[in-house]
Amino acid sequence: MYPLKFEPILKQTLWGGDKIIPFKHLHSELEGVGESWEISGVENNESVVANGPDRGLTLADMVKRYREELVGEENYARFGNKFPLLIKFIDAQQDLSIQVHPNDELAKKRHNSMGKTEMWYVIGADKGAKLCSGFSEQINPKEYKERVLNNTITEVLQEYEIHPGDVFFLPAGRVHSIGAGAFIAEIQQTSDITYRIYDFNRKDANGKGRELHTELAREAINYEVLDDYRTKYDAEQNEPVELVACPYFTTSLYDMTEEINCDYSELDSFVIFICMEGACKLKDNEGNELDVKAGESILLPATTENVTITPEDGGVKLLETYV
C-alpha cells in the first residue's frame, strides 16, 4: 500500500468564513466554507481517494478492501469496517453554538454510534478570537437547564483568548464552543452527533431559531470543573512533541527544519499527518514519495514501517495522529 491523499469535503455553513479555500490552495468560488472534512468515514460523507491506483474509492471501500493492512489488526478488531477518526479544518467567521457530545455509552444507547471525544489545534486566530471549554464554576443539571432558559449559560463557561499553536482536549461530555475568528484543526472520533445547547437566540432568514437539544445534552454533560482546560506543552523543533494521548487517538506535533525518520514498525495502526504550515517531502520504506503542503492531510496505511520527512523551503509543521 501507499500514502493516501483524499478529496476534501467542503461544507458551506451559516457561520463559515474565507480561510479554508486559500489555506488548502484550492481553485473554488465557494463562499462561507466553515469546514473541510479531510479524512472521513462518516456515512454519506466518506472521503474519496485522490491519488494512486485506488483513486476514486471511498475510505469505506478502502477499509473493506484492505482491512488490517490499512487500519491495523487491533483497530480492525475494535472498529470493524468503520474508520475510527474524523479529521477537519474549521473556520468560524461567527460564533458557533454552545454544544456538547455524548460519550460512547450514551451514543451507543441513543444513536447506535461512537461517542465524540475530540481535540483542537489552533492554526490561526483573528485578534480577540476565543474558544470556550468547560465550566468556570460548579453548576448542577437543574441550574444548567435554568441558565439555558434564562440566557445566562454563557456566564458559567470558561473562555480563552486563543493564539496559533494553542491546544484543547475535549473529552465527550465537556461543554464547548468555537468563537468568531478561530481557525482550527480538529481530530475526533468518527461521529457526527452534536447536542446544541444554546445558539444566542439567533434566527434565520425566516425568523426561525435552530433546533436545540437542551434535554439530551443535560444527561450528556460532565459537570466537573477544572482549573485550566488548555493542554500545555513545551514546543520543540525537530522532535515529536506529544499533545494528547487518550483511548481514541494519540497526537503529536512536528515542527521541523531538519529531516526526520519515523519508525512505525512496532505500531499497529494507520498514521495521519495533517500539514498546517510549510511543505515537505514524504518517503516510505517501499519507496513511495509524496509532496505535502499546508492544508493537506495524508493517511499512511498500517503496513508502513517507516517514513522519512524532509522539510522544504525552510520548514514544515505537522500534526501526527493514530489510534
Side-chain angles (χ1 to χ4, degrees):
M1 294 189 72
Y2 60 98
L4 301 167
K5 287 187 177 183
F6 295 89
E7 303 289 349
I9 302 170
L10 302 178
K11 304 273 189 179
Q12 290 176 287
T13 63
L14 291 170
W15 43 263
D18 55 8
K19 296 185 176 81
I20 286 175
I21 298 294
F23 177 68
K24 291 185 59 61
H25 308 93
L26 300 176
H27 301 289
S28 172
E29 301 300 316
L30 281 182
E31 295 181 350
V33 175
E35 298 185 346
S36 175
W37 289 25
E38 294 289 290
I39 299 178
S40 167
V42 174
E43 192 174 354
N44 300 318
N45 283 280
E46 291 101 345
S47 296
V48 174
V49 178
N51 67 317
D54 291 312
R55 182 174 183 172
L57 292 181
T58 67
L59 183 53
D61 294 333
M62 295 291 288
V63 176
K64 286 172 189 165
R65 175 177 289 190
Y66 293 108
R67 301 162 59 106
E68 297 91 345
E69 291 180 63
L70 180 64
V71 299
E73 290 184 11
E74 284 191 24
N75 285 334
Y76 193 75
R78 182 178 171 192
F79 301 108
N81 289 327
K82 175 72 78 175
F83 190 77
L85 293 185
L86 171 57
I87 309 298
K88 297 179 183 178
F89 294 126
I90 299 176
D91 173 22
Q93 198 166 62
Q94 300 176 33
D95 292 337
L96 273 65
S97 62
I98 296 164
Q99 53 192 238
V100 74
H101 309 297
N103 62 21
D104 285 347
E105 183 182 1
L106 197 57
K108 179 72 175 173
K109 180 175 137 187
R110 288 179 173 174
H111 313 281
N112 195 29
S113 167
M114 294 184 199
K116 190 171 171 182
T117 285
E118 58 191 359
M119 68 166 285
W120 295 329
Y121 179 93
V122 178
I123 301 169
D126 294 348
K127 187 175 174 56
K130 294 174 181 175
L131 296 172
C132 285
S133 179
F135 290 113
S136 58
E137 62 183 72
Q138 191 68 59
I139 65 169
N140 58 36
K142 181 173 180 289
E143 185 181 350
Y144 149 78
K145 193 170 180 180
E146 290 169 353
R147 283 185 173 276
V148 171
L149 293 173
N150 66 23
N151 302 306
T152 62
I153 189 68
T154 56
E155 294 175 9
V156 293
L157 298 181
Q158 189 64 60
E159 192 175 67
Y160 295 94
E161 188 167 320
I162 54 169
H163 306 91
D166 286 350
V167 173
F168 291 82
F169 175 57
L170 302 156
R174 183 166 295 169
V175 173
H176 60 272
S177 69
I178 299 172
F183 182 35
I184 64 175
E186 182 174 271
I187 298 166
Q188 59 160 92
Q189 290 177 267
T190 294
S191 167
D192 199 27
I193 299 168
T194 295
Y195 297 151
R196 194 179 296 119
I197 292 169
Y198 186 69
D199 199 36
F200 308 98
N201 294 319
R202 288 183 288 207
K203 303 284 190 277
D204 63 18
N206 300 316
K208 288 187 176 179
R210 291 199 292 173
E211 182 185 4
L212 299 179
H213 311 101
T214 310
E215 198 56 37
L216 287 172
R218 187 174 62 86
E219 292 178 33
I221 290 170
N222 181 343
Y223 293 90
E224 176 187 29
V225 176
L226 302 181
D227 292 336
D228 193 347
Y229 295 92
R230 291 170 293 196
T231 297
K232 303 287 181 59
Y233 66 96
D234 295 321
E236 280 190 57
Q237 278 201 321
N238 303 312
E239 292 285 341
V241 176
E242 187 174 276
L243 303 177
V244 171
C246 72
Y248 307 106
F249 50 82
T250 296
T251 302
S252 297
L253 174 65
Y254 287 69
D255 185 359
M256 299 167 48
T257 58
E258 302 171 1
E259 186 173 279
I260 288 181
N261 185 266
C262 303
D263 183 356
Y264 298 122
S265 57
E266 299 298 315
L267 181 68
D268 181 28
S269 175
F270 61 88
V271 176
I272 292 170
F273 279 110
I274 309 161
C275 188
M276 295 164 300
E277 196 176 303
C280 64
K281 191 175 289 290
L282 188 148
K283 185 175 182 179
D284 71 9
N285 54 286
E286 295 182 22
N288 298 300
E289 291 191 23
L290 203 59
D291 291 316
V292 183
K293 61 181 182 292
E296 292 187 321
S297 302
I298 309 301
L299 174 60
L300 304 180
T303 53
T304 305
E305 293 193 1
N306 65 72
V307 164
T308 300
I309 304 169
T310 307
E312 296 182 350
D313 303 324
V316 68
K317 198 172 281 190
L318 303 161
L319 287 180
E320 172 208 63
T321 194
Y322 57 83
V323 176

